[in-house]
Amino acid sequence: MADDHLRDDTLELLGLLAFFELSEMGEVLGEPDPAQPVAGRLAQARRAGRALERSERVLAEIDRLGGSGLDEMARFDGVFDDFDVRTVASTAAESVLRDYVGRTVAEDFCRVVAAGAEPAARDVVIEVAGVGRVDEALVQAVADAAAADPVLSARLALWGRRLVGEALRLVQGLLVERASFARLAAAARAADAPDAEPAVAADPAPEAALAAADPTAVWILRRITERHAERMRRLGLAA
Amino acid sequence: MADDHLRDDTLELLGLLAFFELSEMGEVLGEPDPAQPVAGRLAQARRAGRALERSERVLAEIDRLGGSGLDEMARFDGVFDDFDVRTVASTAAESVLRDYVGRTVAEDFCRVVAAGAEPAARDVVIEVAGVGRVDEALVQAVADAAAADPVLSARLALWGRRLVGEALRLVQGLLVERASFARLAAAARAADAPDAEPAVAADPAPEAALAAADPTAVWILRRITERHAERMRRLGLAA
């Protein structure tokens, strides 16, 4: 990968993550209040504040690389709208899943692709996108409720599959539409297993169809699907 | 004033300010986006983040005094609802005024009353409530627009009077319903002019009726009205 691509591609990745964290603020404050009024509002406000801090951390990194944070974010204006419209949660448990196994996919994507980015920026992305954004107590409460109620468990498993399906569609779009991400992903894959052969023909997983046999896309989608499956296991739900 | 009152009254004042700043977050993020999408959203997010920081600063002070931030804030749950419902802005300029000459009154009240509070907490209140929350460029843009358009200017002057009327009603309610604030206000007035006679009879200003001839309430409302008039002057509007 040429060095000029590396900087620009890295800036684009940082722009995606900064925009994602900024959009989290609205997401968090737009959610219904799950707890006692003031306590719940303060907890939400603090989650929103942490999302802003993560966005600022990434914007500072864009500055460091000589980019414009606003320009890099503006490229992604609206990129989550389709996902958001298609995954409106109708219960508190669905809302937790939407966060925990849905929007998190955007962060997983950033982390996986970051392996191909400029090294210092890569570390920032991995740090920022790796923060557990979802309240562990809420996740545990959903896991407990699902464990006690097979009907709820089946319903949430279905919801989880729908969320990851929509999220993978989003990721697929980012890879297809942005040469920067395709380059970063290819570099990330090469760094991960330099001698590996694409395993598409040998193991036609469902995501192979989505990825139109692009081995890098298959590799990314598989990495993301693995993380998704792990989260669903933590919830005690069938992935 | 007895010392046990001083601590409890101070905690109540801190609770009001912490709750006000927390409510600002939702206010700021709920406003229509005035600028270019991403730039405007980032600016709003940063304003919301600063409101949270101010709330945290006050909550830390409540901690220092051995109080519970959540309990102190919870006393004020809903206290701004009536004001908010009665002052829905219908234009961007009205929205700026709502912030600049409307909600600001709650901070003015905290600053004035703080003179009667525990000294270290008083300094925190004066610092936190004294931060200019409103974007000066937005204020200037409204002033410029009003200067160029006498009809707009008259309309905004009317809106400003409505805002301050509603805000004074809120303040009046706080003084009447909460003995803590009445005590702090009396102490603040005594500190301000220890030998002053109530001037109600000599100068029956409009707020005298509101305040039902309580000289402390008259003093507070006059202080707040003065600040309001100063802001209206900066906007070039008739107070």
Side-chain angles (χ1 to χ4, degrees):
Chain A
M1 190 193 309
D3 267 6
D4 54 331
H5 272 317
L6 182 61
R7 178 180 164 280
D8 289 351
D9 295 353
T10 298
L11 282 172
E12 200 159 335
L13 176 61
L14 293 169
L16 173 65
L17 184 56
F19 181 76
F20 175 77
E21 299 296 353
L22 183 64
S23 78
E24 279 285 291
M25 263 192 107
E27 276 291 304
V28 167
L29 291 177
E31 282 168 18
D33 186 352
Q36 183 247 336
V38 171
R41 252 174 288 163
L42 181 62
Q44 283 185 316
R46 285 174 168 165
R47 279 180 60 202
R50 287 192 295 271
L52 177 62
E53 281 168 18
R54 293 194 297 273
S55 188
E56 298 284 13
R57 177 81 186 82
V58 179
L59 289 171
E61 190 62 14
I62 292 175
D63 268 355
R64 188 187 66 79
L65 288 171
S68 152
L70 282 180
D71 290 348
E72 295 300 334
M73 287 202 295
R75 299 170 184 266
F76 297 100
D77 200 4
V79 79
F80 301 118
D81 291 357
D82 200 39
F83 175 85
D84 289 342
V85 166
R86 285 164 168 276
T87 59
V88 175
S90 56
T91 66
E94 284 186 7
S95 174
V96 171
L97 252 71
R98 182 174 184 282
D99 242 35
Y100 183 62
V101 304
R103 287 181 62 91
T104 312
V105 167
E107 289 186 320
D108 288 343
F109 174 76
C110 290
R111 283 168 63 90
V112 172
V113 167
E118 194 266 343
R122 176 194 63 207
D123 294 345
V124 170
V125 171
I126 287 173
E127 178 199 322
V128 167
V131 173
R133 296 176 306 106
V134 183
D135 186 339
E136 288 295 321
L138 288 179
V139 171
Q140 192 56 51
V142 171
D144 292 347
D149 180 346
V151 174
L152 177 67
S153 176
R155 198 147 44 81
L156 291 178
L158 198 67
W159 176 243
R161 283 195 288 278
R162 173 145 158 231
L163 289 170
V164 77
E166 293 293 343
L168 290 178
R169 236 168 60 96
L170 170 65
V171 164
Q172 175 80 356
L174 290 172
L175 284 171
V176 169
E177 289 157 24
R178 315 223 175 211
S180 55
F181 291 157
R183 279 190 297 265
L184 291 174
R189 179 167 170 256
D192 184 57
D195 307 318
E197 284 297 311
V200 180
D203 176 14
E207 64 265 32
L210 251 180
D214 169 352
T216 298
V218 172
W219 175 80
I220 292 264
L221 297 177
R222 191 157 297 165
R223 291 282 302 271
I224 288 175
T225 308
E226 281 164 14
R227 286 165 188 260
H228 173 74
E230 194 184 309
R231 291 198 184 94
M232 292 294 273
R233 270 196 301 277
R234 284 200 50 210
L235 285 163
L237 300 174
Chain B
M1 189 192 312
D3 266 7
D4 54 332
H5 272 317
L6 182 60
R7 179 180 163 278
D8 289 353
D9 294 352
T10 298
L11 283 172
E12 201 159 335
L13 176 61
L14 293 169
L16 173 65
L17 184 55
F19 182 75
F20 175 77
E21 299 296 352
L22 183 63
S23 78
E24 280 285 291
M25 261 193 110
E27 275 293 303
V28 168
L29 291 177
E31 281 167 20
D33 185 351
Q36 182 247 338
V38 171
R41 252 175 288 163
L42 180 62
Q44 282 184 317
R46 284 174 170 165
R47 279 181 59 203
R50 285 192 295 270
L52 177 62
E53 281 167 20
R54 293 194 297 272
S55 188
E56 298 284 13
R57 177 81 187 82
V58 180
L59 290 172
E61 191 62 14
I62 292 175
D63 267 357
R64 187 187 68 76
L65 288 171
S68 152
L70 282 180
D71 290 349
E72 295 300 335
M73 287 202 295
R75 299 171 185 265
F76 297 100
D77 199 4
V79 79
F80 301 118
D81 290 359
D82 201 39
F83 175 86
D84 289 342
V85 166
R86 285 164 168 276
T87 58
V88 175
S90 56
T91 66
E94 284 186 8
S95 174
V96 171
L97 252 72
R98 182 174 185 282
D99 241 35
Y100 182 62
V101 304
R103 287 182 60 91
T104 312
V105 168
E107 289 185 322
D108 288 343
F109 174 75
C110 290
R111 281 168 64 90
V112 172
V113 168
E118 194 266 344
R122 176 195 62 206
D123 294 346
V124 170
V125 170
I126 287 173
E127 177 199 323
V128 167
V131 172
R133 296 176 307 104
V134 183
D135 185 339
E136 287 296 321
L138 288 179
V139 171
Q140 193 54 52
V142 171
D144 292 347
D149 179 348
V151 175
L152 177 66
S153 177
R155 198 146 44 81
L156 291 179
L158 199 66
W159 175 244
R161 283 196 288 278
R162 172 144 159 232
L163 289 170
V164 79
E166 293 293 343
L168 290 178
R169 236 169 59 97
L170 170 65
V171 164
Q172 176 80 356
L174 290 172
L175 284 171
V176 168
E177 289 157 24
R178 314 220 176 214
S180 54
F181 291 155
R183 281 190 295 266
L184 290 174
R189 178 167 170 257
D192 183 56
D195 307 318
E197 283 299 311
V200 180
D203 177 12
E207 64 267 32
L210 251 179
D214 169 351
T216 298
V218 172
W219 175 80
I220 292 264
L221 296 178
R222 192 157 296 168
R223 292 282 303 269
I224 288 175
T225 307
E226 281 164 12
R227 287 164 187 259
H228 174 74
E230 193 184 311
R231 290 200 185 94
M232 294 294 272
R233 269 196 301 278
R234 283 199 49 212
L235 285 162
L237 300 174

